[in-house]
Amino acid sequence: MRARLGQLELPNPVLAAAGCAGAGRELAQFIDVARVGAVISKSIMTEPRTGNPAPRLAETPSGLLNSVGLQGPGIDAFLQRDLPWLLSHGARAVVSIAGQTVREYGTLAARLSDAAGVSAVEINLSCPNAEEAGRLFALDPATAGSVVAAVRASLRHDIPVFAKLSPDVTDIVAVAEACVGAGADGLSLINVVLGMAIDPGTMRPALAGAYGGLSGPAIRPVAVRCVWQVAEAFPGVPIIGTGGVRTGRDALELLLAGASLIGVGTAIVHDPSACSRVVRELEEELAAIGADQVADVIGQAHGAHGRLARGLARRA
Ligand SMILES: Cc1cc2nc3c(=O)[nH]c(=O)nc-3n(C[C@H](O)[C@H](O)[C@H](O)COP(=O)(O)O)c2cc1C
């Protein structure tokens, strides 16, 4: 079940996705955080923030809508309190960062460079760009690329950078290309899908902010499609595949599409031990198909003639 995150070897490929396990502490009463492949923190900004007004969660038949926003303690408190806690419990910490300007992302990267024990940085690009009337960085390849370049320029070279992409674009491969071109070591996909629910009882939007991000089983086919397209275009670029993973079989599907690591998000909200369970189930799934290791299944759905399969064969 071993997997790689940059130069680091992980015990398994299953990661707690950003925002669904806080800074990891919240999981500890249910599971041993050292046994999760890695914990991706809630996205951290430079300053503490309270997030969006309530209600900010709404359930749908097969997913969750959230408009929690970027609630968090800010980088100082994260570095003083949360990161040391994760490390002292033997967890591997992937730090998700979020900014309102390209400069803020660079500042966060510089702060993380000075910290010990950061296994990787995940750049949350689904944040409103204050300099472009709140348009999300993730929606434009050039803007997304400029964020990645700013992070790469300020971050220690031995810390890998994953750019987390939004599925709410016409051409996710173009955004992926800009991020890889700007120095991303890997990609993380997908973030939530923009959605909305209206409460017929009140005849008003269910969320205070009207729109929110849809996550959970409903978005898994979107995640599989995005991972497939990006893996096909960039064989060899590591992908954290996230979106609607609830079982080991779901994780296997994203690995087959080309992800090499798996993020579990919404499933944690109703089953805090979901990461450990998915690891167990994935192990059973791999055994059932006769795969000796996770690497045996990565990208296998692309077939012998796909670009991904050819790229993997060349590297073998
Ligand atoms: C309540 C909630 C908070 C989230 N917060 C963040 C966040 O801070 N940063 C981020 O990059 N993604 C965040 N996400 C997105 C998840 O990390 C994940 O990409 C998405 O939910 C899809 O995976 P899932 O279907 O397994 O939840 C959040 C998702 C949820 C449900």
Side-chain angles (χ1 to χ4, degrees):
M1 291 297 279
R2 296 195 167 271
R4 291 209 80 81
L5 179 67
Q7 296 304 313
L8 190 70
E9 185 165 274
L10 307 181
N12 63 71
V14 179
L15 281 51
C20 298
R25 205 184 301 245
E26 291 81 346
L27 286 186
Q29 55 183 309
F30 305 101
I31 57 166
D32 177 0
V33 287
R35 298 178 74 164
V36 178
V39 175
I40 308 178
S41 71
K42 168 95 187 144
S43 296
I44 304 298
M45 302 187 80
T46 49
E47 300 300 325
R49 285 169 62 108
T50 50
N52 295 328
R56 47 191 201 173
L57 288 180
E59 286 196 57
T60 76
S62 56
L64 180 68
L65 275 170
N66 95 81
S67 63
V68 171
L70 293 164
Q71 176 182 341
I75 188 77
D76 288 339
F78 177 79
L79 291 176
Q80 275 159 25
R81 195 189 58 200
D82 298 329
L83 184 59
W85 185 92
L86 275 171
L87 301 177
S88 70
H89 285 75
R92 288 142 301 271
V94 175
V95 183
S96 168
I97 57 172
Q100 289 178 291
T101 59
V102 173
R103 193 191 175 93
E104 184 173 0
Y105 283 99
T107 304
L108 289 160
R111 295 294 309 279
L112 291 172
S113 281
D114 298 334
V118 176
S119 294
V121 166
E122 186 179 83
I123 308 175
N124 178 1
L125 291 166
S126 297
C127 306
N129 180 353
E131 289 160 342
E132 279 189 31
R135 188 174 154 78
L136 304 191
F137 293 95
L139 301 188
D140 175 55
T143 315
S146 61
V147 173
V148 173
V151 170
R152 199 56 286 178
S154 305
L155 190 66
R156 250 179 28 218
H157 279 300
D158 57 327
I159 303 179
V161 168
F162 281 73
K164 186 166 180 182
L165 308 188
S166 165
D168 290 335
V169 291
T170 316
D171 184 359
I172 197 161
V173 172
V175 186
E177 185 174 16
C179 292
V180 172
D185 303 282
L187 298 164
S188 185
L189 33 131
I190 57 176
N191 213 315
V192 290
V193 179
L194 192 61
M196 181 172 180
I198 293 173
D199 179 351
T202 61
M203 297 195 284
R204 300 287 303 149
L207 298 172
Y211 319 123
L214 183 64
S215 60
I219 70 166
R220 204 174 75 247
V222 182
V224 173
R225 184 268 297 172
C226 290
V227 169
W228 170 283
Q229 287 182 319
V230 171
E232 189 69 18
F234 303 104
V237 174
I239 295 175
I240 304 175
T242 308
V245 173
R246 207 171 42 87
T247 65
R249 207 179 175 87
D250 300 341
L252 176 61
E253 189 182 6
L254 281 172
L255 292 171
L256 291 167
S260 48
L261 297 164
I262 298 296
V264 176
T266 302
I268 296 176
V269 178
H270 63 91
D271 172 10
S273 64
C275 289
S276 308
R277 183 178 47 72
V278 169
V279 171
R280 239 185 2 258
E281 292 173 0
L282 178 60
E283 207 165 0
E284 287 163 12
E285 292 289 342
L286 292 176
I289 57 175
D292 292 332
Q293 49 182 347
V294 176
D296 290 348
V297 295
I298 297 171
Q300 280 301 315
H302 291 257
H305 303 296
R307 280 176 65 190
L308 178 66
R310 288 203 302 275
L312 290 172
R314 259 201 311 277
R315 280 187 295 135

